[in-house]
Amino acid sequence: MFFIKSIYLLVVLFIYETHCINYAPVVTTRNGQVRGIIKTLDDGTELYVYDGIPYAEPPIGNLRFRKPVPIGNWSGVYDAVKYRQSCIQPDKLEPDNNIPEESIKSEDCLFLTVWSPLPKTCGTKRPVLYWIYGGGFETGTIFSIVNDVRYVAAMGDVIVVTVNYRLGPWGFLYAGTDDAAGNMGLYDQLEGMRWVKKNIEFFGGDPNLVTIFGESAGGMSVGAHVVSPLGAGLFRRAILQSGAPNSYLGSESREKSYNKTLYLARNLNCSTESGRAIVDCLRLKTADQILNISKTARKDSKSFEPIFGEDLMPVQALDALQKGQFNQDIDLMYGTVSQEGALFVESLFPNVFDPSIPKPKINVVAAKQYIQFLYMVFKEPYGGEVADFYTRGLADTDYDRLRQAVGYGFGDYNMACPTVVFGREFALHSQGNRVYAFRVTHPPTIPVFPNCKGWMGVCHGDDVLLLFGFPIRLRGITFTESDYQISRDMIQAWAEFARTGSPSKMGSANWSEAIDRQSDSPYTKYMDLNPNNYSMVSDYYKESCEGLWLKLWNVKK
């Protein structure tokens, strides 16, 4: 999820546990014994939480930029009862305004947390949900209140595992060498999955019933593992939320990534004679020195992201899907929120897109210019065609619809349509599995970002707030009964999908599969996630994602 900032989090933090530690039972894993902590929901329901278990050796010294090394065995009992270190990241990234994470940052950060309801009957194993956080591959941590998944575990009756992975250059620098081969952050996630496969049964989880899920960069990561040959057998199902690896930020070529490495090296006075020389030099730099350069890299289009063309992601995601080169033995669920791009255009152009401005200085010509400017930044040639598409039929006085048009122009390109097209291609090039889609159209009373209101609809990240049960935790305080209902229903649907491969229902509405594979012109059907009228809808993205963007991306219908 891209960078949380909301005043209501202060309320959540205030009521967060401050009492004495109540220990959970010691669990014997293949690496050693682990002691956890008992955490409690507001209704008294208890969970066993094993917080900050190391799953890989600290990637420091000569292991900086290398793929993760599996954790060795330890003696004695490891106390997994507190927050550990988050991976190195900036405290604040503009224009996203994320709050500082609530823990110390270090390169020694490869930890995961297991959230478990109290044990059932002996021998009964629960399905497992494996959460990969978002943050643009630059920020995020499992040790943030934002990624507190207690309600998913408790109300869904599932085991939930959350995983830290390296970010920025530590996670994604590519130097063309074996010890800086790129995608280290994805390999971290993969190593966490391998740990789960080996150990989750000791926590009451079923190692053969793992569902990986993530939002934004987390969704992009999930999609990367879906198309990766290295993920085979490690998960049974996958859920992509507002992100896919075929997006602008989701993956890039090795050549483009190497140019970013050169940029970092030059700014740190490292020799660029070879990738080997760059890596040797960067390993001598402090974390702060690297961070000071990399934290503003996004503004210069130099931020690091996953690459294709190596073992984890051999080819581009859509090519892999169309060629059938992906994990076809899994079920898939994917979806978006109603206005993926609103937050980003508002943060870039606040004097026009601030929803508190009733009559902003915008007209049809100006809206087109904003869209065309964005596509100049993306270095895409079709900005004019995109601008015409999203502004057609609008008048100069349609202030909110014009602002929405720019938001769609940004969000459909970056998040919504890559997710929709990924799910569509997965469904069309696989058989015998189940594929479901959704779109969140209910705006929570208190959004993730306080400036998300008015014309902005449901903003990027609001689905995570609903899914992780904040409206349940703060029911009747800051959230309405409708917020509570959709939060509860989403948890049940996600858990049911993890358990059976089908989300079953939302309220009284049956959740049918997304694609009719027998149709000559298949269009996607989505569950409209709105508690006032749960229903299946088939025309959300028919003209945009499945019309305009399939053509612009040269994807066969």
Side-chain angles (χ1 to χ4, degrees), residues 57-343:
E57 296 293 334
I60 58 178
N62 287 334
L63 294 184
R64 179 188 276 182
F65 307 130
R66 288 184 184 270
K67 296 175 186 177
V69 176
I71 191 69
N73 296 337
W74 57 78
S75 59
V77 179
Y78 180 87
D79 274 332
V81 299
K82 64 180 180 179
Y83 288 175
R84 302 285 174 169
Q85 303 85 250
S86 300
C87 295
I88 297 288
Q89 58 192 280
D91 287 334
K92 189 173 183 179
L93 275 176
E94 298 291 352
D96 305 280
N97 296 318
N98 66 303
I99 61 170
E101 303 293 358
E102 302 96 52
S103 54
I104 298 171
K105 303 170 188 67
S106 169
E107 291 184 69
D108 179 6
C109 63
L110 299 186
F111 303 97
L112 55 78
T113 295
V114 179
W115 301 74
S116 171
L118 271 58
K120 282 186 171 182
T121 304
C122 184
T124 302
K125 301 295 184 184
R126 289 182 168 95
V128 180
L129 280 160
Y130 182 91
W131 172 249
I132 303 174
Y133 53 74
F137 301 111
E138 292 180 285
T139 66
T141 176
I142 62 174
F143 304 125
S144 167
I145 190 67
V146 172
N147 291 309
D148 186 314
V149 294
R150 70 182 64 197
Y151 279 89
V152 180
M155 298 188 71
D157 193 30
V158 293
I159 305 290
V160 185
V161 179
T162 57
V163 61
N164 263 1
Y165 61 93
R166 283 172 286 177
L167 304 161
W170 293 271
F172 297 96
L173 180 136
Y174 171 74
T177 65
D178 289 340
D179 55 355
N183 286 345
M184 291 80 70
L186 297 183
Y187 279 102
D188 294 342
Q189 300 163 10
L190 188 69
E191 188 59 41
M193 290 183 224
R194 290 171 176 153
W195 188 96
V196 167
K197 187 75 171 179
K198 296 175 183 176
N199 290 288
I200 203 62
E201 63 180 306
F202 306 124
F203 297 87
D206 187 340
N208 297 314
L209 208 58
V210 176
T211 297
I212 60 174
F213 71 131
E215 186 266 350
S216 196
M220 298 170 196
S221 300
V222 169
H225 296 299
V226 168
V227 301
S228 174
L230 304 184
L234 293 178
F235 56 95
R236 180 67 186 83
R237 300 185 175 99
I239 304 173
L240 283 73
Q241 298 174 219
S242 302
N246 46 302
S247 70
Y248 177 75
L249 185 64
S251 62
E252 63 184 3
S253 68
R254 290 176 295 174
E255 292 75 17
K256 187 175 180 180
S257 184
Y258 191 75
N259 285 332
K260 295 176 178 179
T261 300
L262 293 175
Y263 171 88
L264 178 65
R266 289 171 182 144
N267 278 276
L268 288 170
N269 298 315
C270 288
S271 168
T272 57
E273 181 179 337
S274 67
R276 175 75 268 165
I278 292 173
V279 173
D280 287 343
C281 178
L282 290 178
R283 284 199 176 129
L284 297 175
K285 302 297 181 181
T286 68
D288 284 342
Q289 286 175 314
I290 297 174
L291 183 62
N292 286 337
I293 302 301
S294 63
K295 68 183 179 182
T296 59
R298 195 198 312 188
K299 294 180 180 179
D300 299 319
S301 298
K302 300 297 183 183
S303 59
F304 289 94
E305 60 193 68
I307 59 170
F308 55 83
E310 62 89 47
D311 291 346
L312 193 144
M313 199 168 8
V315 298
Q316 294 187 64
L318 288 186
D319 287 344
L321 291 171
Q322 293 194 328
K323 293 175 182 177
Q325 298 173 357
F326 60 96
N327 293 298
Q328 298 195 26
D329 59 344
I330 67 169
D331 301 314
L332 185 75
M333 189 161 79
Y334 64 95
T336 65
V337 300
S338 68
Q339 248 293 7
E340 294 283 3
L343 283 171

Side-chain angles (χ1 to χ4, degrees), residues 349-409:
F349 314 109
N351 292 336
V352 173
F353 291 88
D354 185 331
S356 66
I357 302 173
K359 293 184 178 181
K361 294 181 179 179
I362 190 172
N363 54 31
V364 174
V365 171
K368 289 183 177 182
Q369 290 173 338
Y370 282 117
I371 295 174
Q372 290 173 324
F373 171 78
L374 292 171
Y375 284 84
M376 289 175 59
V377 174
F378 300 147
K379 297 181 180 179
E380 297 287 11
Y382 36 66
E385 186 173 354
V386 174
D388 289 342
F389 176 87
Y390 285 103
T391 58
R392 62 185 180 180
L394 299 183
D396 287 342
T397 55
D398 292 333
Y399 301 118
D400 283 352
R401 294 180 65 194
L402 287 169
R403 292 190 284 194
Q404 287 174 342
V406 180
Y408 288 132

Side-chain angles (χ1 to χ4, degrees), residues 236 328-331 427 429-435 513 517:
R236 180 67 186 83
Q328 298 195 26
D329 59 344
I330 67 169
D331 301 314
H429 294 90
S430 62
Q431 295 181 351
N433 50 12
R434 289 163 288 187
V435 182
E513 290 198 45
R517 292 177 167 107

